[in-house]
Amino acid sequence: NAGVMQNPRHLVRRRGQEARLRCSPMKGHSHVYWYRQLPEEGLKFMVYLQKENIIDESGMPKERFSAEFPKEGPSILRIQQVVRGDSAAYFCASSPESGQGASPLHFGNGTRLTVT
Amino acid sequence: SQKIEQNSEALNIQEGKTATLTCNYTNYSPAYLQWYRQDPGRGPVFLLLIRENEKEKRKERLKVTFDTTLKQSLFHITASQPADSATYLCALIGVNQFYFGTGTSLTVIP
């Protein structure tokens, strides 16, 4: 049973470029969450998606950031025109049901984005 | 907004002793609280879930308590081992998201 797969593990982008982070949830999971983590800080919620729908994007900056979870294929977190402050570890997690349930989150091992 | 505080300083304990980690929260009354373990360079891994109507939950050497009056959860690791060294995160379950604390770094010294 494959876990949550994130790729790439490491991504280096120059300021102004675009970053695309991919996440394949666990088999049978239709709920995906994206979190951002800076060193010595906790996980900060960005966005919660179900298949083809954004349920809650309250933690995601309005500009430059977007997320999708299409009917087929992985969830994508897209950061346009990256700046140095976007450098962080981005984690994806999946769950078989919504946050109101008692199901735990299953995390991938993250994508470490470095903006030079 | 929700505020979750965990032991602000790293915790160092001797092998074989019991480690106790604290999670305090404000501005919320969660129905569930979860604990995760995170190793360097890896994603968090789920350990235990406790419901608001449960006072205590155990799993092998792990024990979690949940005091909704104090708005506090305690996480205990008994007979600690060096392999228990990691960062431990508590999480509150909200409407559409999980709110995570900043974590407590635990080091078990052989």
Side-chain angles (χ1 to χ4, degrees), chain A residues 9 35 37 99 102 105 109, chain B residues 36 38 41-43 49 93 98:
Chain A
R9 285 298 308 275
Y35 283 83
Q37 187 175 44
L105 293 181
N109 282 325
Chain B
Y36 289 76
Q38 186 174 22
R42 307 295 292 267
L49 174 147
I93 316 310
F98 292 60

Side-chain angles (χ1 to χ4, degrees), chain A residues 6-105:
Chain A
Q6 287 189 251
N7 65 80
R9 285 298 308 275
H10 300 276
L11 182 62
V12 179
R13 285 287 178 266
R14 290 184 179 165
R15 278 182 298 171
Q17 291 184 320
E18 178 181 289
R20 278 189 180 230
L21 287 62
R22 286 176 289 277
C23 169
S24 295
M26 282 187 70
K27 189 176 180 181
H29 288 192
S30 58
H31 300 253
V32 165
Y33 302 77
W34 284 92
Y35 283 83
R36 167 189 162 118
Q37 187 175 44
L38 288 167
E40 309 304 320
E41 292 188 15
L43 290 158
K44 301 296 183 189
F45 169 78
M46 297 183 73
V47 61
Y48 163 43
L49 311 103
Q50 293 180 28
K51 280 285 187 181
E52 300 185 273
N53 290 306
I54 296 174
I55 306 303
D56 185 343
E57 57 183 347
S58 59
M60 200 159 65
K62 294 284 188 289
E63 296 180 356
R64 303 188 299 108
F65 286 73
S66 63
E68 63 176 10
F69 188 16
K71 187 176 179 181
E72 302 291 338
S75 175
I76 306 286
L77 178 68
R78 183 179 175 208
I79 311 172
Q80 294 178 293
Q81 299 175 317
V82 297
V83 300
R84 288 223 172 97
D86 296 332
S87 297
Y90 293 84
F91 288 96
C92 166
S94 71
S95 170
E97 57 187 62
S98 73
Q100 285 182 302
S103 295
L105 293 181

Side-chain angles (χ1 to χ4, degrees), chain B residues 31-91:
Chain B
Y32 308 95
L33 188 145
Q34 297 182 1
W35 283 88
Y36 289 76
R37 168 186 172 138
Q38 186 174 22
D39 291 284
R42 307 295 292 267
V45 174
F46 170 76
L47 296 174
L48 278 171
L49 174 147
I50 187 165
R51 293 174 168 78
E52 62 177 341
N53 60 352
E54 296 176 315
K55 295 295 183 189
E56 183 179 294
K57 197 81 169 279
R58 290 176 186 259
K59 179 182 175 183
E60 297 173 354
R61 295 184 296 110
L62 308 180
K63 184 178 86 171
V64 172
T65 63
F66 194 9
D67 189 324
T68 55
T69 302
L70 290 178
K71 292 187 181 294
Q72 182 182 77
S73 175
L74 298 178
F75 178 80
H76 306 271
I77 306 175
T78 58
S80 60
Q81 304 166 1
D84 295 326
S85 299
T87 296
Y88 292 85
L89 307 167
C90 68

Side-chain angles (χ1 to χ4, degrees), chain B residues 10-50:
Chain B
L11 188 62
N12 298 325
I13 64 165
Q14 209 67 38
E15 182 176 5
K17 301 292 186 185
T18 295
T20 298
L21 285 64
T22 305
C23 175
N24 295 297
Y25 59 93
T26 58
N27 300 334
Y28 195 55
S29 296
Y32 308 95
L33 188 145
Q34 297 182 1
W35 283 88
Y36 289 76
R37 168 186 172 138
Q38 186 174 22
D39 291 284
R42 307 295 292 267
V45 174
F46 170 76
L47 296 174
L48 278 171
L49 174 147
I50 187 165

